[in-house]
Amino acid sequence: MNKKPKIVILGAGYGGIMTASRLIKSNTQQDAEITLVNKHNYHYQTTWLHEPAAGTLHHDKTRMEISSVIDLKKINFIKDSVVEIKKDEKKVILENGEVDYDYLVIGLGSEPETFGIPGVNENSFAIRSVNSVRLLREHIEYMFASYNKEDEKHEDILTFVVAGAGFTGIEFVGELSERVPELCEEYDIDPKKVKIYSVEAAPTALPGFDEELVEYAMNVLESRGVEFKINTPIKEVQDGKVLLNDGEEIKSQTIVWTTGIRGSSIIEDSGFETMRGRVKVEKDLRAPGYDNVFIIGDCALIINEEINRPYPPTAQIAIQQAYTCSKNLKDLISGKEELDVFKPEIQGTVASLGGKEAIGLVGDRKLYGGSASAMKKIIDNKYLFQLGGVPLVLKKGKFNFF
Amino acid sequence: MNKKPKIVILGAGYGGIMTASRLIKSNTQQDAEITLVNKHNYHYQTTWLHEPAAGTLHHDKTRMEISSVIDLKKINFIKDSVVEIKKDEKKVILENGEVDYDYLVIGLGSEPETFGIPGVNENSFAIRSVNSVRLLREHIEYMFASYNKEDEKHEDILTFVVAGAGFTGIEFVGELSERVPELCEEYDIDPKKVKIYSVEAAPTALPGFDEELVEYAMNVLESRGVEFKINTPIKEVQDGKVLLNDGEEIKSQTIVWTTGIRGSSIIEDSGFETMRGRVKVEKDLRAPGYDNVFIIGDCALIINEEINRPYPPTAQIAIQQAYTCSKNLKDLISGKEELDVFKPEIQGTVASLGGKEAIGLVGDRKLYGGSASAMKKIIDNKYLFQLGGVPLVLKKGKFNFF
């Protein structure tokens, strides 16, 4: 009697859940036993998290129960946290057990990149998970609620420092600057007392993005009172303040760290060779030396050969990798030797700036304001459609009501 | 040329704002210059504050702009804080100025009574003002938001200690116990992990209230998981814990102090003789020895001669005092020598327990559940009607929609 091979997918982020979804669509569960392991019983959309972090969208709009998008009669689901991957023994150690595999898909996501700057993890908030963003939202509201309760009015209560002006940082600043007037109204605070700093070490906000669009974004955000400190590396984060390289310090009770990400430390701790926590995978997305292990999403490093630099880790690429990964898994199981080569197709990049403002680049076309904002919603809805069809779009989708 | 006498009213709580309102209704502004001084440009309903404190009602429902209920073309309004009353010089020192008077009405409200227990002011929350309750609400939400973010799950994050099982304490516990299931749903927390303690030094909850009703209230609250510690004095409040006299300690990040109130310390600091911050006023509500000074509301002590004990300071009594006080002011100005004697008419006492539960005593009639809850709303709406007529009831009133 032939036993079915076991496929284990670690993580139900963009890459993991889409791999599970594609495997079911291609009926791979007939030929393999598929198991999905995830810390939570829900999947969430990392690229939306800046909204619940600022309080402009409820966090439940960014997440969905795994059982609502994946047919759990067709695959196994284990709600547990991964501790270590024993790649030579083909098993995964979980907090409450372990699981064997014949084929493994690693989609364990990312961690904040601190660049070794002291005090970051202890003294700053992250935009990373449903848990972390609802804490940040509550913290921000608590600051506003505190201000009129204090006998001495400390400015740092209403000062918000966002470290990093990449996509997450800019999108969060956009939402926060939209939310501030509401919070001021709610807590009887003069909006002039609120300060939002966007601090970036690189010589520009949104490094690598189209200059004209960056300028547009900065103008929009500055008009809402955001102060940019570009070309300004951070030396240290202390409790209640940020020390800049140039000697200045900014006192703030709310420091949000968005200077980029590195791959999950589980990968490195499990003995894979990594660069900033990411494994430089083969063209078919397998880990070098491990023909039965695929690595996708934020844990995978793919070089853009045109410019000889890694592609930034995005949801778009993770989703595309899931398509290739699931296809290659099915092929492997059915005995094919030639696997598909992964090649990202960048369909467009849009950054929301809060409210109806956004910027975007679709091919060579630059988008501003309303049209970029509409494009952002179309992209978000497209993912929901890929994952759960029309019902999921209707349930969790974003719509403009003009 | 005769100058009009100056009436100054300190505080726009129940007593102060209703005095201003009654003076205008009796056209006293034709014969006197009336000034109302208040810290905020709004009046709020202290007896409703347990609801926004728990997050079951928005704080804006409990407050209204003074200009929306008092015609500021007829009286002066000064938004400032009172520092001291120079009663022999007939003037009041404010934070940003001073104001002279011929007649003074002191309605400066109360402060939490700590009974000298160490650490109360530093380590506990109060249900005292719009500012204090929205801070408490945000703090509670922050606790729930924190829980799943902590690596180690500390029980004290989800433990709530309400010190004092008087009216405010019981009403707050009622609202909080109604809100907890919602917060658990919102933040993915098992409701069993949440603990609410109601700690009372006296041998019963709601001391002095009808025993049968007290038992009903405790049963309702216990059925929602509230744990009572009656006959349990508190020795000290420290950062993150309450030490009880019996040696036990309860770890909690949220300690709410509701063991009663004392009159505003401004009264004592201004040289009036007080008991627990309250002045034992004459029968016409004037301060002993100061024929031009009326003291009303939480700052006034009135003895219930039937039982030879002070009446508890309530909104009901403050409002009734405002009627007597404004009448007496008008009479004084028009040269009458015989002033009205204040006599409270206790029309009923109702405590809400959250949701549709309440207990009440109207005359000898005991009310439970829905009928008590409806009565509570009728009382609240009656006050709004007295203050601002039907429009205010429609705007800020409470209605049952069955």
Side-chain angles (χ1 to χ4, degrees):
Chain A
M1 189 176 103
N2 268 347
K3 258 187 78 182
K4 279 186 186 181
K6 290 179 183 170
I7 299 174
V8 172
I9 303 167
L10 303 182
Y14 290 106
I17 202 162
M18 196 56 104
T19 299
S21 170
R22 299 299 304 170
L23 287 173
I24 292 172
K25 280 205 177 114
S26 62
N27 259 322
T28 311
Q29 71 276 8
Q30 292 183 331
D31 308 308
E33 189 189 320
I34 306 170
T35 300
L36 175 64
V37 178
N38 195 53
K39 199 172 168 180
H40 309 290
N41 64 355
Y42 55 84
H43 162 72
Y44 57 85
Q45 296 182 260
T46 315
T47 59
W48 293 19
L49 289 177
H50 55 282
E51 299 181 41
T56 49
L57 183 78
H58 192 276
H59 57 256
D60 281 341
K61 275 292 243 181
T62 70
R63 67 174 171 176
M64 54 204 81
E65 283 191 28
I66 288 170
S67 62
S68 73
V69 283
I70 296 291
D71 185 345
L72 297 186
K73 287 192 295 288
K74 296 182 176 163
I75 70 168
N76 309 313
F77 174 65
I78 301 175
K79 180 178 173 296
D80 207 341
S81 295
V82 175
V83 176
E84 195 188 344
I85 300 157
K86 300 267 191 195
K87 54 195 187 310
D88 299 309
E89 301 165 41
K90 295 189 186 174
K91 72 177 178 191
V92 179
I93 311 297
L94 307 175
E95 244 172 48
N96 306 299
E98 54 179 67
V99 56
D100 294 324
Y101 62 81
D102 296 298
Y103 301 96
L104 185 68
V105 179
I106 303 177
L108 287 170
S110 66
E111 294 175 5
E113 173 65 270
T114 68
F115 303 105
I117 295 168
V120 172
N121 289 331
E122 300 83 343
N123 302 309
S124 69
F125 290 89
I127 296 176
R128 195 184 163 183
S129 63
V130 169
N131 280 330
S132 70
V133 297
R134 61 190 173 188
L135 183 71
L136 174 53
R137 181 197 70 210
E138 286 300 332
H139 173 82
I140 292 168
E141 292 176 3
Y142 191 71
M143 291 298 102
F144 281 83
S146 300
Y147 187 72
N148 278 322
K149 195 64 197 8
E150 297 287 315
D151 287 336
E152 280 181 69
K153 307 293 186 200
H154 297 291
E155 296 245 318
D156 58 342
I157 291 180
L158 297 181
T159 299
F160 301 87
V161 177
V162 181
F167 268 78
T168 305
I170 288 293
E171 291 194 306
F172 175 65
V173 162
E175 296 301 319
L176 183 61
S177 62
E178 276 283 296
R179 181 100 202 280
V180 160
E182 282 174 30
L183 289 167
C184 286
E185 173 80 21
E186 176 87 359
Y187 294 103
D188 311 325
I189 291 169
D190 176 0
K192 288 193 202 80
K193 295 194 186 295
V194 180
K195 291 216 164 57
I196 303 174
Y197 291 99
S198 171
V199 183
E200 171 61 50
T204 172
L206 295 169
F209 207 55
D210 177 85
E211 275 179 41
E212 207 177 296
L213 291 172
V214 172
E215 199 180 320
Y216 179 86
M218 287 177 75
N219 286 341
V220 166
L221 297 176
E222 279 173 342
S223 75
R224 296 192 200 138
V226 174
E227 190 169 322
F228 283 95
K229 289 186 171 284
I230 301 299
N231 222 343
T232 309
I234 289 172
K235 190 161 64 183
E236 189 177 343
V237 182
Q238 294 180 353
D239 184 13
K241 62 183 165 192
V242 174
L243 310 184
L244 306 178
N245 264 10
D246 62 16
E248 202 195 337
E249 65 175 51
I250 309 176
K251 286 192 181 147
S252 166
Q253 292 298 324
T254 314
I255 300 157
V256 184
W257 200 259
T258 69
T259 66
I261 55 169
R262 50 182 292 123
S264 163
S265 55
I266 296 165
I267 316 283
E268 205 171 285
D269 295 347
S270 300
F272 289 97
E273 195 179 311
T274 64
M275 288 169 61
R276 291 178 58 183
R278 302 165 71 196
V279 176
K280 188 165 177 306
V281 292
E282 306 288 357
K283 289 191 189 306
D284 55 15
L285 298 175
R286 286 188 286 185
Y290 293 88
D291 274 0
N292 62 334
V293 177
F294 290 84
I295 303 185
I296 60 176
D298 295 345
C299 303
L301 184 74
I302 312 267
I303 299 293
N304 180 348
E305 286 170 358
E306 285 172 33
I307 55 172
N308 199 30
R309 290 185 57 184
Y311 283 102
T314 64
Q316 193 177 160
I317 287 180
I319 295 162
Q320 291 176 9
Q321 288 173 332
Y323 277 71
T324 304
C325 173
S326 56
K327 167 81 160 44
N328 284 350
L329 274 167
K330 192 174 170 68
D331 286 353
L332 263 185
I333 287 165
S334 58
K336 271 203 191 169
E337 285 183 15
E338 195 76 12
L339 296 188
D340 278 9
V341 166
F342 175 68
K343 190 154 171 37
E345 283 176 46
I346 307 303
Q347 293 159 331
T349 311
V350 185
S352 65
L353 302 172
K356 286 189 175 156
E357 283 293 348
I359 49 172
L361 206 53
V362 177
D364 288 334
R365 206 176 144 214
K366 296 177 190 181
L367 301 174
Y368 301 86
S371 56
S373 177
M375 178 59 70
K376 175 87 177 174
K377 290 189 174 68
I378 289 167
I379 291 171
D380 288 339
N381 292 343
K382 182 187 165 194
Y383 167 65
L384 292 173
F385 179 75
Q386 287 177 310
L387 184 59
V390 171
L392 191 62
V393 177
L394 291 176
K395 205 164 137 196
K396 301 282 180 179
K398 290 180 176 179
F399 303 100
N400 278 326
F401 296 103
F402 293 103
Chain B
M1 189 176 107
N2 269 349
K3 261 187 75 182
K4 280 186 186 179
K6 290 179 182 169
I7 300 173
V8 171
I9 304 166
L10 303 182
Y14 290 105
I17 202 161
M18 195 56 104
T19 299
S21 169
R22 298 298 304 168
L23 287 173
I24 292 172
K25 279 201 179 119
S26 62
N27 259 323
T28 310
Q29 71 276 8
Q30 291 184 333
D31 308 309
E33 190 189 320
I34 306 169
T35 300
L36 175 64
V37 179
N38 195 54
K39 199 172 169 179
H40 309 291
N41 63 357
Y42 54 84
H43 162 73
Y44 57 85
Q45 297 183 261
T46 316
T47 58
W48 292 19
L49 288 178
H50 55 283
E51 297 181 43
T56 50
L57 183 78
H58 192 274
H59 57 256
D60 281 341
K61 275 293 244 180
T62 71
R63 67 173 172 175
M64 54 206 79
E65 283 190 27
I66 287 168
S67 62
S68 72
V69 285
I70 297 290
D71 185 345
L72 297 186
K73 287 193 294 290
K74 296 182 176 163
I75 72 168
N76 309 312
F77 174 66
I78 300 176
K79 180 178 173 294
D80 206 343
S81 295
V82 175
V83 176
E84 195 188 342
I85 299 158
K86 301 268 192 194
K87 55 193 186 310
D88 299 311
E89 300 166 41
K90 295 188 185 174
K91 71 177 180 192
V92 179
I93 311 296
L94 306 174
E95 244 173 47
N96 305 300
E98 53 179 66
V99 56
D100 293 325
Y101 63 81
D102 297 298
Y103 301 97
L104 186 68
V105 179
I106 303 177
L108 287 169
S110 65
E111 294 174 3
E113 173 65 270
T114 68
F115 303 104
I117 295 167
V120 172
N121 288 329
E122 299 82 345
N123 302 310
S124 69
F125 289 88
I127 295 175
R128 193 184 164 184
S129 64
V130 170
N131 281 330
S132 69
V133 298
R134 60 191 174 187
L135 183 69
L136 174 53
R137 180 198 70 211
E138 286 302 333
H139 173 83
I140 292 168
E141 291 176 4
Y142 191 71
M143 290 299 102
F144 281 84
S146 301
Y147 188 71
N148 278 323
K149 195 66 195 7
E150 297 287 314
D151 287 337
E152 280 182 68
K153 306 293 185 201
H154 297 290
E155 296 244 320
D156 58 342
I157 292 179
L158 297 181
T159 299
F160 301 87
V161 176
V162 181
F167 268 78
T168 305
I170 288 294
E171 290 194 308
F172 174 66
V173 161
E175 296 300 319
L176 183 60
S177 62
E178 276 283 297
R179 181 100 203 278
V180 160
E182 282 173 34
L183 288 167
C184 286
E185 173 81 22
E186 176 86 358
Y187 295 103
D188 312 323
I189 291 169
D190 176 359
K192 288 193 201 82
K193 295 194 187 296
V194 180
K195 290 215 165 58
I196 303 174
Y197 291 99
S198 171
V199 183
E200 171 61 49
T204 172
L206 296 169
F209 206 58
D210 178 86
E211 277 179 39
E212 208 177 296
L213 291 172
V214 172
E215 199 180 319
Y216 179 85
M218 289 178 72
N219 286 342
V220 165
L221 297 176
E222 280 173 340
S223 76
R224 296 193 200 135
V226 174
E227 190 169 322
F228 283 94
K229 288 187 173 284
I230 301 301
N231 221 342
T232 310
I234 289 171
K235 191 161 63 183
E236 189 178 343
V237 182
Q238 295 181 352
D239 183 14
K241 62 185 164 189
V242 174
L243 308 184
L244 306 178
N245 263 10
D246 62 15
E248 201 195 337
E249 64 175 52
I250 309 176
K251 286 192 182 150
S252 166
Q253 292 297 328
T254 313
I255 300 157
V256 184
W257 199 258
T258 69
T259 66
I261 55 168
R262 49 183 294 122
S264 162
S265 54
I266 296 166
I267 317 281
E268 205 172 283
D269 295 347
S270 300
F272 289 97
E273 195 179 310
T274 64
M275 288 170 59
R276 291 178 60 183
R278 302 165 72 196
V279 176
K280 189 168 176 304
V281 291
E282 306 288 357
K283 289 191 188 309
D284 55 16
L285 298 176
R286 285 189 287 185
Y290 292 88
D291 274 359
N292 63 333
V293 177
F294 291 83
I295 303 184
I296 59 176
D298 295 345
C299 303
L301 184 74
I302 313 268
I303 299 293
N304 180 347
E305 286 170 358
E306 284 172 35
I307 54 171
N308 199 30
R309 290 185 56 184
Y311 283 102
T314 64
Q316 192 177 160
I317 287 179
I319 294 162
Q320 292 176 10
Q321 288 173 333
Y323 276 70
T324 303
C325 173
S326 56
K327 168 79 161 46
N328 285 349
L329 273 167
K330 191 172 171 67
D331 286 352
L332 263 184
I333 285 165
S334 59
K336 272 202 193 171
E337 285 181 14
E338 196 76 10
L339 296 187
D340 279 10
V341 166
F342 174 68
K343 192 158 169 35
E345 282 176 49
I346 307 304
Q347 294 161 328
T349 310
V350 186
S352 65
L353 303 172
K356 288 189 172 152
E357 282 292 349
I359 51 172
L361 206 51
V362 178
D364 288 335
R365 207 176 143 212
K366 298 178 189 180
L367 300 173
Y368 303 86
S371 56
S373 177
M375 177 59 69
K376 175 88 176 172
K377 291 190 173 70
I378 289 167
I379 291 172
D380 289 337
N381 291 343
K382 184 188 163 193
Y383 166 65
L384 292 172
F385 179 74
Q386 286 177 309
L387 184 59
V390 171
L392 191 62
V393 177
L394 291 177
K395 206 163 135 196
K396 301 282 179 178
K398 291 180 175 178
F399 305 100
N400 277 325
F401 296 104
F402 292 104

